[in-house]
Amino acid sequence: MKTQGFNADWVCGRPRSGPLEPEIGPFGFLCAKSWQSHAWVECGDFIVDITADQFGAPPVLVVDRTDDRYNKGNRDGALPEFVLARRRAVDDIWPQWQRISAGGPKGSLTP
């Protein structure tokens, strides 16, 4: 979204340090009265969530940034090795994605 001129940020919320750990705060997505680890995009006054269906919501939600079901935390919920893997994956496919979005060849996204 940023490459298209939108002021957007990926954010997440993680309510506990691990699956069996106690809740450390009301972070993530509020589903059936309990907080679930989740990530979404904030863009201007909106939340754009393309994976809300995992919680029984529609597959794509675009809601006001003040929607009470969302509360971002102050840290990435992924383990450091997964943060690095995610960054590498984006770096690997980004040049091809830019070519395709600019109207270039629509081949596979793999090198």
Side-chain angles (χ1 to χ4, degrees), residues 92-111:
D92 287 345
I93 68 168
W94 193 245
Q96 295 174 47
W97 177 259
Q98 288 179 307
R99 236 182 358 263
I100 290 169
S101 66
K106 296 195 176 11
S108 170
L109 286 180
T110 57

Side-chain angles (χ1 to χ4, degrees), residues 30-48:
L30 183 59
C31 174
K33 298 184 182 183
S34 71
W35 289 94
Q36 304 298 319
S37 293
H38 194 50
W40 59 92
V41 172
E42 292 185 353
C43 182
D45 292 332
F46 298 97
I47 289 171
V48 180

Side-chain angles (χ1 to χ4, degrees):
M1 291 177 77
K2 284 183 177 184
T3 64
Q4 298 301 313
F6 293 96
N7 183 16
D9 291 301
W10 177 88
V11 296
C12 69
R14 186 173 176 197
R16 53 194 64 75
S17 298
L20 302 176
E21 298 295 319
E23 194 168 281
I24 56 175
F27 305 119
F29 185 86
L30 183 59
C31 174
K33 298 184 182 183
S34 71
W35 289 94
Q36 304 298 319
S37 293
H38 194 50
W40 59 92
V41 172
E42 292 185 353
C43 182
D45 292 332
F46 298 97
I47 289 171
V48 180
D49 186 347
I50 62 168
T51 60
D53 55 337
Q54 66 186 302
F55 303 113
V60 176
L61 285 179
V62 178
V63 296
D64 190 272
R65 198 176 199 154
T66 60
D67 190 301
D68 290 338
R69 293 173 291 182
Y70 294 88
N71 194 24
K72 64 183 172 182
N74 59 1
R75 61 191 167 112
D76 190 329
L79 295 171
E81 60 266 27
F82 295 115
V83 171
L84 181 59
R86 183 176 60 222
R87 287 185 182 146
R88 285 182 178 156
V90 170
D91 290 343
D92 287 345
I93 68 168
W94 193 245
Q96 295 174 47
W97 177 259
Q98 288 179 307
R99 236 182 358 263
I100 290 169
S101 66
K106 296 195 176 11
S108 170
L109 286 180
T110 57

